[in-house]
Amino acid sequence: SIESGAYVELGRALAALGRADEARDAWLQSLAILGPASEARGSDHLVSVATTLLHLGRVDEARPITDTLLRRGYRQPEFMALARSSGLLAR
């Protein structure tokens, strides 16, 4: 959703400013809006959940979602870079 995406971007901005606690709060708010991921959901929803989890450092939770996206052929460069920097993909 647009609202969850806004919280992800707010979190990124706050993290860049060194305001880690506030960034975490923004990402948690994004997750609350998105709800759980499931393979039945569309790729856009899964990307949003995985991205938010990766920003929170919750790599183990993001791994199966990322695997689903890759199986679907999802290769958006920004997401791939985040997954790679989080250790989900080979460098």
Side-chain angles (χ1 to χ4, degrees):
S1 76
I2 292 171
E3 187 178 8
S4 67
Y7 278 110
V8 169
E9 293 306 317
L10 175 60
R12 286 180 182 162
L14 290 165
L17 293 171
R19 295 163 62 181
D21 289 342
E22 291 168 279
R24 179 175 164 71
D25 289 345
W27 292 323
L28 289 171
Q29 184 62 38
S30 175
L31 275 184
I33 292 165
L34 289 166
S38 77
E39 288 198 30
R41 299 296 298 261
S43 292
D44 289 344
H45 178 81
L46 295 179
V47 169
S48 296
V49 174
T51 297
T52 304
L53 289 169
L54 290 173
H55 282 302
L56 286 165
R58 293 163 58 175
V59 177
D60 289 339
E61 291 174 70
R63 186 179 317 280
I65 302 167
T66 300
D67 291 345
T68 296
L69 289 165
L70 294 176
R71 278 194 311 276
R72 292 181 181 184
Y74 189 85
R75 299 289 187 279
Q76 193 275 340
E78 186 178 339
F79 177 75
M80 296 298 285
L82 178 60
R84 193 169 288 110
S85 69
S86 298
L88 288 179
L89 303 174
R91 296 214 176 252

